[in-house]
Amino acid sequence: MIAQAPRSTSLARLDARIYALAVARGINTMGFSIVLPFLAIYLYTERGIAASSIGAVYTLSGIVGAATQVVGGELADRFGRRLVMVSSLLARAGVLGAMGVAIGRGGSFATLGGLVVANAMLRSLFEPAAFAAVTDLAPIEDRVAAFGVQRIGINVGWAMGPALGAYLASGAYGRLFFLAVPATVGAAALCARVRDVGAGAHVRELSLREFLSVRRETTLLLYLGVTLLAMILVAQLFSTLSIYTTARLGLRKIDLGHLYTLNGVLVVLLQFPAVRFIERIGRRQAVLLGPLIYALAYASMGLARTVGGLALCVAGVTVGELVFLPAQQSLASQLGDPERQGRVMGLYGLTFAAGQSFGPLVGGVAIDHLIRWPLRMWGALGLLGLASFIGYALVLRSAGARRAIAPGPSSQ
């Protein structure tokens, strides 16, 4: 069971609407992950589409989705969080339904590819608006807890969706999309209950000139630059680890699946205790500690040879994730313009997605050149953690960062 926080903690102080948003995220993610993880398998095995073509569509959807994060943030500031969240979810339900129809009728690969890209765009419109709503509802000192709760919702959805999808996919695959539609509509209904408070729907100008004024926010941009590097580090847990363990150590796919399940389960079980730990040491210290934990855990992977040893390393990476990511996002919200949290979350989302996109490329280069020497390979990747630590230390010592985070009691 998930540990319950004492009434004196920030978790107990959170606005109930923050928990509603986390539930909406979980439902939305579950509905999405019931079907889309299996789409590539369907296209390759049943439709005979070349793997390179499928990969190109997914790459395009990732690039378009990352860029759309910025658009979503701007729209959330201009028109309000709730309108953007609800409209993007309802439109996404329509796209998922269209995918089901297209698959049932044998639609072309171009049609399905276009719908995949549209789905990525709509998801990216939702994310910054939802995170901006969290910053509106949570005071600075409670944002680590608020973002931690959102991560639990996402992880629960990712745990339930693929498992349910794998069970149901034995029938007609296209029908799965029609199960995802009501789940997405349900998430929209929950978001519709979260009225805009504070910021949102107050920005009158929506133009490139006004957007470029973000150049004046030097501290935030430097922080996001380091975050790009840190997200490349975070991404190594997925594609790089999967290739390494199967190609070098000969792990079975089921064992690899167990390692990723361990990561998800630990996030759900330990995020609340991690929030309390972050509040004790402060967000700034957590952002510095997280990359070092990642670096140590990755370097240890170079020594691991068994499933048990790798499980310990994955647990170490997960601890770094639990300490690092909520504090990182909380500080980003504090370093940005408090009146433009949609923009801040959009830029953060762009940086996060870009790092996740570049991560497999960096890991692939490391595999191609260093897989024969596991300790060197994972040690080199772990150096990204040391570089992130140094980058964050320099940015957070700047006068601009000290002014921005000084008022928060948990940033000390």
Side-chain angles (χ1 to χ4, degrees):
M1 293 182 64
I2 298 175
Q4 297 297 315
R7 292 294 301 172
S8 59
T9 68
S10 59
L11 289 164
R13 294 194 302 266
L14 291 179
D15 190 299
R17 289 168 291 185
I18 291 175
Y19 288 99
L21 284 170
V23 172
R25 283 181 181 279
I27 295 173
N28 181 37
T29 303
M30 181 183 69
F32 161 74
S33 61
I34 283 175
V35 290
L36 286 188
F38 306 98
L39 181 60
I41 298 172
Y42 162 78
L43 291 172
Y44 184 75
T45 60
E46 296 191 30
R47 297 287 298 274
I49 305 297
S52 57
S53 298
I54 298 170
V57 167
Y58 276 81
T59 298
L60 177 62
S61 69
I63 294 171
V64 172
T68 308
Q69 291 266 356
V70 177
V71 177
E74 294 297 306
L75 293 175
D77 280 341
R78 176 63 181 85
F79 299 106
R81 318 324 188 189
R82 183 170 64 168
L83 178 61
V84 175
M85 288 190 294
V86 173
S87 59
S88 62
L89 286 172
L90 291 178
R92 194 178 186 194
V95 167
L96 290 171
M99 283 185 175
V101 172
I103 289 174
R105 296 184 176 181
S108 68
F109 175 61
T111 298
L112 289 171
L115 290 170
V116 168
V117 174
N119 175 75
M121 291 177 63
L122 291 167
R123 183 185 182 193
S124 295
L125 287 176
F126 170 81
E127 289 296 329
F131 279 128
V134 170
T135 66
D136 294 342
L137 293 166
I140 290 171
E141 63 270 18
D142 292 344
R143 285 182 188 168
V144 167
F147 288 129
V149 168
Q150 303 307 300
R151 295 190 65 249
I152 289 176
I154 293 170
N155 277 275
V156 169
W158 271 114
M160 294 177 63
L164 184 60
Y167 174 75
L168 295 172
S170 56
Y173 173 66
R175 295 177 185 172
L176 287 181
F177 289 87
F178 300 113
L179 296 178
V181 170
T184 308
V185 172
L190 273 174
C191 291
R193 300 172 63 89
V194 181
R195 295 183 180 274
D196 291 325
V197 297
H202 69 280
V203 177
R204 299 304 175 191
E205 185 178 1
L206 189 63
S207 65
L208 179 61
R209 179 177 63 84
E210 198 279 331
F211 173 75
L212 292 177
S213 66
V214 75
R215 292 177 297 181
R216 296 194 292 268
E217 298 187 54
T218 307
T219 303
L220 173 65
L221 294 178
L222 290 173
Y223 181 84
L224 292 177
V226 181
T227 297
L228 174 63
L229 180 64
M231 288 305 102
I232 293 174
L233 171 76
V234 170
Q236 302 310 311
L237 179 63
F238 299 101
S239 64
T240 306
L241 179 65
S242 63
I243 295 173
Y244 169 76
T245 54
T246 53
R248 174 68 183 182
L249 301 183
L251 244 65
R252 298 176 302 168
K253 291 181 180 179
I254 190 171
D255 293 326
L256 181 63
H258 290 158
L259 292 177
Y260 289 128
T261 298
L262 174 65
N263 171 256
V265 169
L266 288 178
V267 168
V268 173
L269 293 178
L270 300 180
Q271 187 64 77
F272 283 0
V275 165
R276 294 196 290 270
F277 175 73
I278 295 168
E279 289 174 341
R280 282 199 298 271
I281 68 172
R283 288 180 297 247
R284 179 165 41 192
Q285 286 77 7
V287 166
L288 295 174
L289 177 62
L292 295 180
I293 297 175
Y294 267 101
L296 179 61
Y298 280 145
S300 299
M301 284 183 183
L303 300 172
R305 296 293 183 270
T306 65
V307 174
L310 288 168
L312 289 175
C313 296
V314 169
V317 170
T318 306
V319 170
E321 174 185 346
L322 291 166
V323 171
F324 180 49
L325 294 184
Q328 177 205 65
Q329 192 169 11
S330 178
L331 275 186
S333 73
Q334 201 169 349
L335 292 172
D337 184 348
E339 298 298 317
R340 297 304 304 265
Q341 285 296 299
R343 169 178 294 176
V344 174
M345 289 297 104
L347 290 170
Y348 175 83
L350 170 63
T351 305
F352 192 102
Q356 294 285 298
S357 298
F358 282 116
L361 173 61
V362 173
V365 171
I367 287 172
D368 286 344
H369 293 87
L370 297 173
I371 195 171
R372 289 179 295 174
W373 305 283
L375 189 56
R376 293 185 192 177
M377 188 189 98
W378 287 107
L381 293 172
L383 289 176
L384 293 171
L386 182 60
S388 300
F389 165 80
I390 294 171
Y392 280 127
L394 292 174
V395 172
L396 296 176
R397 286 181 59 187
S398 68
R402 289 200 303 270
R403 284 194 301 270
I405 65 180
S410 61
S411 25
Q412 303 304 314

